[in-house]
Amino acid sequence: MNQRGRRSYGSPCWCSLLMEPMLFTISSQKSLPFPLTAEQAGKRGFSEVSAMKHVKYLTSLGPHPVSSDSLDLAIEYVHTVAEKIKKTAHWEVDVEVDLFHAETGTNLLSQGAFSGRTLLYSDLKHVVLRIVPKYLPEARENTILVSSHIDTVFSGEGAGDCSSCIAVMLELARGVSQWAHGFKSGVIFLFNTGEEEGLDGAHSFITQHPWSSTIRFAIDLEAVGIGGKSGIFQGGSAPWALDIFASVSKYPSAQITAQDLFLSGAIKSATDFQVYQEVAGLPGLDFAYSDNTAVYHTKNDKMKLLKPGSLQHLGDNMLAFLLHTAATSKLYEKTEYNETSDHNQAIYFDILGMYMVVYTQKLASMLHNSVIFQSLLILATSLAMGGRTGGISFLISLLTTFLTFVFSLSFSSIVAFLLPFLSPSPAPYIASPWLVIGLFGAPALVGALTGQHIGFVLLKGYIKKRNGVENLAKLEAERWLFKAGIVQWLVLLILGNYFKVGTSYLALFWLASPTVAYGLMEATLTPARSPRKLKVITLIVGIAAPVVVSTDIVVRVLGNLIGTIVRLDRNPGGAPVWLSNAIVAIYISVIICLMLVHLLSYIHLSGAKLPLVLSMAALLALSLGIVSTGVIPTFTDDISRTVNVVHVVDTTGNYIKAQEPLSYISLYSNTPGKLSREIESLKDEQFLCGHNNTIDFVTFTMNYGCLSYLDSKSGWTKSEIPTIQVESDSKTDRRETLISIDTKSATRWTLAINMEEVADFTLYVGSDEVVTTGNKTNIDGWHIIQFAGGKSSPTKFKIKVFWSSNSIQKVSESPYLLKLRADVVKLTPQAEKVLNKLPKWTSQFGKSTSPFNLAFLASLPVKF
């Protein structure tokens, strides 16, 4: 249902403005739909049962990272299915299939997880499918891109990330091929590879494929977990597309809070959508599955955890959106009109899985300003009526809010700090997230109540001193605490409105609804009227709508926070073991203080304070007993601790003195905590663990881990060791050094250049200059180059270094000019032996910066 109201100017009553927005789209949303068979879906519909056949085959290949044999098989399968779609398409529809081979390219992104790095790629293969109406040639020049990636990380079969996306696209393409004769625009389906290595597939397509210039709108399908509802988490720059999606999709799901978190950098990740926006300048929508984020990039990203209805949910939504959008003749005009200014950004969210709301930032600013102005007016009137007593009572109520946060955060943080000492695992709730209710929720609630109680006593004492009647003082104090809750949300709305934070819609609900409820049911128009006890109906009416709007996103964010703990420690051993607990505890405390502030104001006169405190203490004690005894395991066969096994061949420091390479098996975890339990299963492998086993993996540092030299000399040969050689060194006015690098069998490598010694550099593949001078950023003094490619990728490179003018005079912190890590898709016998002995509740974790199971380390010193 679309509701469009007239434009409103000035400062209208904000309650009426809520009812008359200038662009306010509301659509119904349901839970996961029932999976349809091919017969039920029909020739032109979407069938999850058919799509799951694609997921089944792709996951049967096991992990299929770039340059692996299994990826070749996956590409071949997708290409075969695409050709079948071409043969069975409607007779008035043209389907073109292109097996695209990308050449060497350079990807420089200015924002997000890969900013400050140079991403190189070569020999990537993509399957590209274009569907256009046969008798409308101009449709080829105005197309919609639907994109996802075939490749996976080396550590998982990728049922969620992103075989499910590929399966949805194949089934979508089949359905669209039966509808496209009525389209005004074409649809391009891009099945790319190289996404997991730095968004290389999307970049190579956008910069090298001839069809890319015809794209007017991009849709990216992703996963940061497995299954559930696939919702929009980026797309605010295309309000018209969000409006259409909300109107036509069967089960719309979207949340601007996810976009705020993603763009703020709180979520350390990136999707192909960044390339489509930053490199191609395209508007679009980014979808992602986000259930069960703990399995992301692990062996547990498997088909059995893919919830029935997940693919049907996304497929039905996407099919409806594509049919509507591709059928319009104004796609080009809409995308040309698309603007990226703050006022044209869209605010969007769904309400408890039932409705989706879309409106522009311009309307949001008008609405927020109106609510803020009238709330301040009401507050000022209240203070004026209360006189000096009211003013001081107001200040004490604000102090109460501060104390509520302080005590709540303190109580939950104490538990967070002590938990690693009381439990076998620093974060014992990962596989059982409900435990955080007792571990952190209980102390946070007691702390919030403690802070409120102190404030209530101060308020009551002051008011009693002024009027001399204790009962009236209690009633007046209760009301001031309720008003303080309104004020805290007013402050948040003011800040959110100033910084144009999309999630400010939550503050709007939490401010407007309790204010209206209090004004209608509790407010007095004269200071002479004695206060009365707050009505329960005021609380119910005041917080009902905000709770409904907030609950789903609050729970989802908490679930994602807990899920990310398995990969929190990016430099293993570098973060305090209590850090993950503190993050979860702080989040829960803040939510309790914000969402329960009005409820807490009722408790002081209810006589429920002591029972509540005792019940929370009992819940905390029970939860601590459960985790300390290990009754409920921290990890299971489906929720694993990340433990990576890398056979390292280290020649670092061997450039001047020819020495035998150092070879060992390393063990590290991105999950906080020591590897004591894991080592128990490896007693015969002679591992030594500790913080002294530091390894520089170029993209990260292992600060804590385990090393074993047992049988590490086998499984590799000296001919595989990469070489770094100085070919020439010109020490003229501007010192220049030409260095050759041979990565041998490795087609995936990372090179760090010391920018404290180097002013600039260029990199060559053969005679082609693939990295030019200029625009060299650095991270902690190092510029990182990441290379990933197929089996036919080049392995010989030359880098010309232009030294800093004062590099000879100064001594940098690092003795190395270059640091290289070369990864090989190979599992040595000893690494395989260790992997097989690890507990079943462990899994390797893969990402673009993680080494494969065989990694070679080499370096070039500054003083060569």
Side-chain angles (χ1 to χ4, degrees):
M1 177 178 65
N2 278 348
Q3 296 182 350
R4 299 176 190 272
R6 65 180 182 273
R7 291 177 182 263
S8 300
Y9 297 92
S11 181
C13 174
W14 53 263
C15 53
S16 65
L17 190 56
L18 275 169
M19 305 300 294
E20 295 186 320
M22 74 174 120
L23 177 57
F24 200 76
T25 306
I26 304 179
S27 293
S28 63
Q29 182 182 26
K30 301 177 182 178
S31 58
L32 290 177
F34 185 80
L36 299 182
T37 64
E39 292 74 21
Q40 291 171 321
K43 193 175 182 180
R44 306 170 97 189
F46 184 93
S47 165
E48 175 174 308
V49 174
S50 297
M52 285 300 291
K53 294 177 182 177
H54 304 314
V55 178
K56 184 177 181 180
Y57 177 82
L58 292 172
T59 54
S60 71
L61 299 174
H64 33 283
V66 170
S67 80
S68 65
D69 293 335
S70 52
L71 181 60
D72 291 339
L73 294 174
I75 294 170
E76 182 181 348
Y77 174 81
V78 172
H79 184 249
T80 300
V81 175
E83 289 289 355
K84 183 177 179 181
I85 292 171
K86 178 179 180 179
K87 293 177 182 178
T88 58
H90 190 279
W91 66 276
E92 291 183 285
V93 173
D94 272 344
V95 177
E96 302 165 81
V97 179
D98 182 24
L99 183 57
F100 179 62
H101 188 187
E103 299 175 352
T104 302
T106 305
N107 184 6
L108 297 171
L109 298 174
S110 61
Q111 301 175 2
F114 296 106
S115 63
R117 302 187 181 197
T118 298
L119 306 174
L120 298 178
Y121 55 83
S122 184
D123 190 34
L124 298 178
K125 295 177 182 177
H126 318 311
V127 178
V128 192
L129 185 70
R130 182 165 68 175
I131 302 175
V132 293
K134 184 174 293 185
Y135 302 112
L136 193 67
E138 56 266 32
R140 284 178 164 79
E141 300 305 314
N142 294 281
T143 60
I144 301 168
L145 176 69
V146 184
S147 171
S148 192
H149 61 95
I150 306 173
D151 62 307
T152 70
V153 291
F154 76 94
S155 53
E157 61 191 39
D161 185 19
C162 216
S163 295
S164 59
C165 312
I166 295 299
V168 167
M169 285 173 56
L170 288 171
E171 181 63 6
L172 273 176
R174 183 201 59 76
V176 167
S177 70
Q178 305 301 322
W179 287 93
H181 55 286
F183 286 3
K184 300 295 190 298
S185 302
V187 180
I188 294 175
F189 291 90
L190 170 62
F191 307 86
N192 71 63
T193 66
E195 191 274 349
E196 297 292 6
E197 298 300 337
L199 318 181
D200 296 334
H203 187 274
S204 63
F205 172 78
I206 286 296
T207 56
Q208 297 183 24
H209 200 284
W211 293 350
S212 66
S213 61
T214 69
I215 298 169
R216 306 290 175 238
F217 186 81
I219 298 170
D220 182 51
L221 306 184
E222 257 298 350
V224 291
I226 184 167
K229 297 176 182 178
S230 178
I232 297 171
F233 74 103
Q234 291 192 90
S237 61
W240 61 268
L242 287 162
D243 187 28
I244 293 173
F245 179 80
S247 302
V248 304
S249 56
K250 291 185 177 181
Y251 323 100
S253 176
Q255 187 50 255
I256 196 170
T257 301
Q259 176 175 300
D260 287 342
L261 290 172
F262 200 82
L263 296 181
S264 70
I267 300 176
K268 302 293 184 182
S269 188
T271 72
D272 285 337
F273 190 68
Q274 181 181 351
V275 172
Y276 302 138
Q277 279 198 314
E278 183 177 326
V279 179
L282 293 169
L285 300 176
D286 202 2
F287 292 78
Y289 290 112
S290 59
D291 279 14
N292 207 350
T293 56
V295 309
Y296 176 69
H297 284 191
T298 70
K299 70 178 183 182
N300 295 316
D301 187 2
K302 51 193 176 185
M303 188 171 171
K304 82 167 193 175
L305 297 183
L306 199 53
K307 296 177 183 176
S310 300
L311 272 61
Q312 194 72 47
H313 177 271
L314 177 58
D316 282 347
N317 284 346
M318 286 303 308
L319 184 59
F321 179 77
L322 288 174
L323 295 184
H324 183 94
T325 309
T328 179
S329 60
K330 297 183 178 181
L331 175 64
Y332 183 77
E333 288 82 355
K334 284 183 176 180
T335 54
E336 283 292 295
Y337 176 75
N338 183 75
E339 297 181 25
T340 57
S341 66
D342 288 340
H343 285 304
N344 292 298
Q345 294 290 308
I347 309 298
Y348 56 93
F349 55 93
D350 64 78
I351 303 175
L352 206 59
M354 296 179 65
Y355 299 96
M356 180 174 168
V357 181
V358 179
Y359 56 99
T360 64
Q361 179 63 55
K362 184 176 182 179
L363 172 61
S365 296
M366 291 173 59
L367 187 59
H368 295 171
N369 288 331
S370 180
V371 172
I372 290 168
F373 173 76
Q374 292 175 72
S375 297
L376 290 172
L377 186 63
I378 293 171
L379 180 61
T381 304
S382 178
L383 291 173
M385 290 174 60
R388 183 172 183 273
T389 301
I392 296 177
S393 297
F394 173 69
L395 293 177
I396 296 175
S397 68
L398 294 184
L399 174 63
T400 302
T401 299
F402 175 74
L403 293 175
T404 300
F405 276 91
V406 169
F407 279 92
S408 182
L409 290 167
S410 298
F411 284 20
S412 62
S413 296
I414 289 171
V415 176
F417 179 76
L418 294 177
L419 196 56
F421 303 100
L422 302 175
S423 167
S425 172
Y429 45 84
I430 293 175
S432 304
W434 54 268
L435 282 170
V436 301
I437 298 173
L439 292 173
F440 306 125
L445 182 56
V446 172
L449 186 56
T450 301
Q452 273 240 344
H453 175 73
I454 294 173
F456 178 76
V457 171
L458 293 174
L459 257 176
K460 183 184 69 172
Y462 171 75
I463 297 172
K464 180 182 176 182
K465 183 178 178 181
R466 299 293 296 179
N467 60 29
V469 183
E470 183 169 354
N471 286 336
L472 291 180
K474 289 181 180 179
L475 295 174
E476 192 67 30
E478 181 186 49
R479 287 172 174 264
W480 276 112
L481 291 181
F482 191 94
K483 294 175 186 177
I486 294 174
V487 172
Q488 74 175 12
W489 284 107
L490 173 60
V491 171
L492 289 176
L493 183 59
I494 291 172
L495 292 174
N497 186 53
Y498 179 79
F499 291 106
K500 300 292 187 293
V501 179
T503 309
S504 298
Y505 78 87
L506 292 175
L508 177 66
F509 273 93
W510 279 98
L511 172 60
S513 186
T515 303
V516 170
Y518 186 87
L520 292 176
M521 301 176 187
E522 304 289 352
T524 59
L525 299 178
T526 170
R529 180 179 173 183
S530 298
R532 293 175 294 179
K533 188 173 174 35
L534 289 176
K535 303 180 185 72
V536 175
I537 189 65
T538 303
L539 178 67
I540 295 173
V541 172
I543 70 172
V547 167
V548 168
V549 171
S550 307
T551 299
D552 184 61
I553 185 59
V554 165
V555 173
R556 280 185 173 274
V557 172
L558 177 59
N560 287 340
L561 268 180
I562 294 172
T564 56
I565 291 175
V566 299
R567 53 186 182 275
L568 178 70
D569 201 350
R570 290 177 169 259
N571 293 286
V577 292
W578 47 263
L579 179 62
S580 58
N581 297 332
I583 294 172
V584 176
I586 290 171
Y587 175 80
I588 291 175
S589 293
V590 170
I591 293 301
I592 285 176
C593 291
L594 290 175
M595 293 182 64
L596 299 186
V597 61
H598 301 298
L599 176 62
L600 290 175
S601 66
Y602 276 72
I603 292 177
H604 303 289
L605 301 184
S606 68
K609 277 192 280 193
L610 183 58
L612 179 61
V613 170
L614 292 176
S615 61
M616 291 298 101
L619 179 58
L620 173 60
L622 176 62
S623 301
L624 288 174
I626 289 173
V627 300
S628 62
T629 57
V631 173
I632 297 178
T634 303
F635 303 104
T636 66
D637 289 350
D638 293 332
I639 305 293
S640 298
R641 181 183 187 182
T642 62
V643 179
N644 282 40
V645 178
V646 184
H647 192 151
V648 178
V649 180
D650 190 353
T651 63
T652 303
N654 287 11
Y655 184 80
I656 298 176
K657 294 182 180 180
Q659 300 174 351
E660 283 295 309
L662 190 62
S663 178
Y664 49 85
I665 308 295
S666 68
L667 212 65
Y668 68 84
S669 176
N670 294 109
T671 310
K674 295 183 178 180
L675 294 164
S676 305
R677 293 180 62 196
E678 291 79 0
I679 290 301
E680 289 178 6
S681 62
L682 300 171
K683 290 180 179 179
D684 298 332
E685 302 305 323
Q686 301 179 14
F687 276 97
L688 295 176
C689 303
H691 284 276
N692 57 329
N693 296 329
T694 302
I695 302 176
D696 185 350
F697 279 109
V698 183
T699 52
F700 67 95
T701 300
M702 187 186 87
N703 296 292
Y704 167 85
C706 305
L707 302 182
S708 171
Y709 296 89
L710 182 66
D711 296 331
S712 62
K713 295 293 184 181
S714 61
W716 57 275
T717 63
K718 289 186 177 181
S719 62
E720 295 178 283
I721 298 175
T723 59
I724 303 176
Q725 298 292 332
V726 175
E727 291 197 358
S728 64
D729 186 24
S730 173
K731 298 181 180 180
T732 55
D733 293 339
R734 185 183 186 187
R735 185 180 178 187
E736 298 179 7
T737 303
L738 184 63
I739 304 164
S740 64
I741 300 173
D742 188 348
T743 60
K744 301 297 176 69
S745 60
T747 57
R748 181 186 194 255
W749 51 264
T750 304
L751 181 70
I753 297 105
N754 188 342
M755 299 306 290
E756 292 184 357
E757 300 289 341
V758 174
D760 209 341
F761 65 87
T762 57
L763 190 138
Y764 298 85
V765 177
S767 59
D768 297 327
E769 186 179 44
V770 294
V771 178
T772 59
T773 56
N775 299 320
K776 301 297 192 308
T777 56
N778 67 82
I779 302 172
D780 297 327
W782 296 89
H783 183 86
I784 304 293
I785 300 176
Q786 290 181 218
F787 179 92
K791 297 174 183 176
S792 301
S793 297
T795 58
K796 295 182 179 181
F797 307 85
K798 290 186 179 181
I799 180 170
K800 180 180 286 188
V801 171
F802 304 98
W803 294 73
S804 175
S805 58
N806 62 344
S807 63
I808 298 175
Q809 285 75 30
K810 70 178 183 179
V811 179
S812 63
E813 294 182 3
S814 173
Y816 299 117
L817 180 67
L818 303 178
K819 297 186 297 183
L820 174 69
R821 190 192 77 221
D823 303 323
V824 180
V825 184
K826 182 179 180 181
L827 189 60
T828 63
Q830 185 60 15
E832 184 176 20
K833 182 181 177 183
V834 171
L835 275 172
N836 291 335
K837 284 187 175 184
L838 283 171
K840 291 182 179 180
W841 43 264
T842 63
S843 169
Q844 297 196 94
F845 172 67
K847 56 182 179 179
S848 64
T849 56
S850 299
F852 286 166
N853 293 119
L854 177 59
F856 294 90
L857 301 179
S859 65
L860 179 68
V862 172
K863 298 179 180 180
F864 53 79

